[in-house]
Amino acid sequence: MTDNHKTELGVMHADLRRYDSGDVTNRELIKRRASHLAGSVLFYDNPVWIVRGEGPWLYDHDDHRYLDCYNNVPSVGHCNPRVVNAIAEQSALLNTHTRYLHETIIEYAEALAGTFPDPLDMCYFVCTGTEANELAMRIARSVTGQRGAIVMEGSYHGNSTLISELSTMTYSRKDTPGHVAAVEPPNLYRGSSSDPASYVDAVDDAIAQLEQSGEGVAAYLCDAMFDSQGGLEAPGNYFTACYEKVRAAGGLCIADEVQPGFGRTGKMWGFENYDVVPDIVTLGKPMGNGHPVAGVVTTRDIADRFAAATPFYFNTFGGNPVAAAAGLAVLRELEANKLPAAALHTGRYLRRGLARLADRFESIGNVHGLGLYQALDLVTDRETREPATSLAKQIPDLMREQGVLIGLSGRYGNVLKIRPPLVFGQEHADILLDALNQVFSTVTTSV
Ligand SMILES: Cc1ncc(COP(=O)(O)O)c(C=O)c1O
């Protein structure tokens, strides 16, 4: 970074400090926001006004700090210096697109492809997870000649027209389009069955439904971490069995790694927890640590077949030199600090602490998740497993008052979602566990 850049970043911080004077209040800002910002909902009854971040910490305009146990995008840490410098330096030098030769773009594609098992070695760069899934579906439809998709109930894959239709959490079941078959996610604690095989059988039914309706199966699209279903661990051979069935029906298997990818589950890719290799992988969120970088990775054979059918595919901003520099810096940071392994290690430590809380507080019915995505399924009664939706709704606000940010998930909104940046050590897990202990002690009874 040049001195000029340093000064400019310094000026930006100085500008933010003007809010510390109390010139503008939270209330005023909420009012101004509501006047002109469409379609964006604030977190917390008492929303936080964040002005800067560092590592796993966020700071509000009064310089109160919050431990971020929610945000998966800044996975190598808020304002990670390696990523900030890479973006600043490349922005100052050149920012065009992928249709000129540029070494950083190629270096990034090589490095990214190098993190995948064979035969996944061809990269497309786009700007959002939605676009990645949209392109993946376009490829799957083109290559298979079929149109249907199998997705999970309660899924979220993005916000475009097609991908909204594949995001079953965004509409009611009766509005499911004919080209979509939604199957129940394999939740052995809360689902309709405690038998893993029944969730695989549901994929047989979905295939039959799509074949009967003439849509056929273009793809099975699944997030291996089941983020919008509360962060589940798939049982036994769930994924290998589903992949086999989908391929036998002529479909492709798409792993949506927008949430689990880049080390969150303790492995670089979520699917690596399950001994499968997808046909297409979609990427986003942590890929640029906040810079809009997303992608699709597939095999040369599939990429060639798509190119033959669709010779003109272009994305103006996807994989431009600044995006590539940001993405490369994220990969280097993950590697240098062994963050996937750290996520596994800290995730296990956190899981043990959460299990101790579950021993203590009756309302914690189940603890589940992988790596640094851990979740608490809250119940009103451990026998009936009735979801404790209204209790769960209070907890993130109470945690926010303790200076710890967490979220909610799951079909009934009763699952506390803990998904911090990966630069989250045992010392941070201890702060989180203490705050949870404090909050549960005030709102629930001990076992
Ligand atoms: C699993 C999954 N896939 C795709 C997306 C869409 O990504 P984006 O918001 O970048 O379009 C999301 C966003 O939350 C997601 O959780």
Side-chain angles (χ1 to χ4, degrees), residues 128-130 133 156-158 223 256 258-259 285:
T128 66
T130 301
N133 284 323
Y156 186 77
H157 296 288
D223 150 15
D256 180 336
V258 169
Q259 293 275 357
K285 293 203 190 262

Side-chain angles (χ1 to χ4, degrees), residues 282-302:
T282 59
L283 311 171
K285 293 203 190 262
M287 194 169 179
N289 210 48
H291 193 82
V293 187
V296 174
V297 177
T298 188
T299 66
R300 172 168 289 283
D301 176 49
I302 291 174

